[in-house]
Amino acid sequence: MIAMEYGLGVSDAERARLLYQCEIHRAEAERLIDRIGVGPGWRAIDIGCGPLGILDTLAERVGPSGTVVGVDRERRYLDLVELAGVELVEADATATGLPAGSFDIVHERLVLNNVARPADVVAEMARLARPGGYVALQDVDWISWTCEPDHPAWRRLLAAAADAWTGDVFLGRRLPALLRGAGLVDVEVSAHARVWRPGDPYHDLLLRFAAIYRERIVDRGMLSERQLDECVAELTAHLANPETITLYATLFQAWGRTPV
Ligand SMILES: C[S@@+](CC[C@H](N)C(=O)[O-])C[C@H]1O[C@@H](n2cnc3c(N)ncnc32)[C@H](O)[C@@H]1O
């Protein structure tokens, strides 16, 4: 696998964003876990768990007789996990070093759209699942990410951020194919998108991505520094308008079982 830094970094602001994001996606994660039927005694693992991921939901569902493992290659994220009884492993998602066939459910959320070769991660996840065990994926697809009313600055910044992104921002739709490609069967899929208004932290997320990727956007020639500043100023004003709403990226969920 080509080693790639996690493009959004490990700043305090990014850690806070990831914890907020856990709350945003909590209800969908719980629905997914319940639909799969995760219950007491299950052995569960969250790949690329960051500072929390869905470790808390898994721990609650599997109870004291179950096992929960969190994997991430960023020690600084793992150090933030404050959950008793959860085992934390610092490793790359493509080569965890954990025993094959040792989990009833192997889950990842928002990792695949940050890596160069998502299929390598899904192959490792399939290796970790026991025969008949589940592999569950949750990743976004920017297909739906829009603002209403539309604005040229939105479109320019969205295109620039997508170009600067260190993975595939349209990966969500490919999750079922990735599972089938790794040999999973009984593959299912669902998708959800959220609406934000002024005041919601994710209403301005595109501006935050534009700030993080500023250098890459300019270096790659997507926008000059002056154009970027103009777009940011125009979009800041547009998003602050009480009548502007944003429709966020679609969260795809796909899951399947390893053949028995
Ligand atoms: C957007 S965050 C998502 C965190 C968490 N899964 C969640 O949903 O809240 C992406 C996480 O994947 C981790 N990550 C990215 N590439 C990785 C890799 N190759 N191996 C292990 N972890 C990786 C990052 O360190 C980061 O914690």
Side-chain angles (χ1 to χ4, degrees):
M1 150 119 202
I2 299 164
M4 242 173 40
E5 288 294 312
Y6 171 48
L8 297 170
V10 286
S11 64
D12 288 350
E14 177 59 8
R15 283 180 279 185
R17 185 185 76 82
L18 290 180
L19 289 172
Y20 174 71
Q21 191 165 253
C22 289
E23 291 313 311
I24 289 178
H25 295 311
R26 179 175 297 280
E28 282 110 331
E30 288 176 352
R31 266 200 297 278
L32 171 68
I33 291 310
D34 289 342
R35 203 161 161 186
I36 288 172
V38 177
W42 279 45
R43 294 159 299 166
I45 184 166
D46 193 11
I47 302 288
C49 58
L52 181 61
I54 68 159
L55 293 172
D56 53 348
T57 300
L58 290 173
E60 192 186 285
R61 294 297 192 277
V62 307
S65 59
T67 307
V68 178
V69 178
V71 172
D72 205 286
R73 68 173 178 196
E74 294 288 352
R75 169 48 58 188
R76 281 166 290 180
Y77 282 155
L78 294 178
D79 287 344
L80 292 173
V81 178
E82 290 173 348
L83 286 169
V86 171
E87 186 191 335
L88 299 172
V89 177
E90 185 180 343
D92 194 277
T94 59
T96 59
L98 295 166
S102 48
F103 293 94
D104 300 300
I105 176 165
V106 185
H107 168 269
E108 73 75 36
R109 183 176 65 191
L110 303 170
V111 179
L112 300 182
N113 60 357
N114 286 294
V115 299
R117 290 215 280 265
D120 292 357
V121 176
V122 182
E124 173 67 356
M125 294 176 75
R127 188 188 72 80
L128 292 173
R130 67 163 167 81
Y134 287 88
V135 174
L137 315 175
Q138 303 191 70
D139 266 274
V140 287
D141 189 316
W142 287 15
I143 187 172
S144 54
W145 207 11
T146 47
C147 74
E148 176 59 37
D150 190 16
H151 195 287
W154 174 276
R155 276 183 269 125
R156 294 187 82 182
L157 286 180
L158 189 74
D163 179 75
W165 196 264
T166 51
D168 179 3
V169 298
F170 300 110
L171 183 93
R173 68 192 76 175
R174 291 172 45 209
L175 296 185
L178 280 164
L179 287 173
R180 283 191 288 268
L184 280 299
V185 296
D186 301 334
V187 172
E188 305 222 30
V189 63
S190 68
H192 319 259
R194 299 280 294 269
V195 174
W196 309 116
R197 296 181 173 77
D200 291 333
Y202 266 27
H203 186 59
D204 296 326
L205 186 62
L206 182 56
L207 291 170
R208 178 163 155 64
F209 286 169
I212 292 173
Y213 283 129
R214 183 180 178 87
E215 217 176 293
R216 277 173 67 86
I217 289 171
V218 173
D219 286 352
R220 292 166 73 89
M222 289 298 286
L223 295 170
S224 69
E225 290 209 9
R226 194 175 58 79
Q227 288 171 325
L228 188 49
D229 288 340
E230 281 170 5
C231 283
V232 166
E234 285 172 24
L235 189 59
T236 300
H238 181 61
L239 292 180
N241 183 327
E243 290 178 9
T244 302
I245 57 168
T246 51
L247 175 62
Y248 187 41
T250 301
L251 181 75
F252 277 81
Q253 300 178 318
W255 62 101
R257 310 187 74 154
T258 59
V260 181

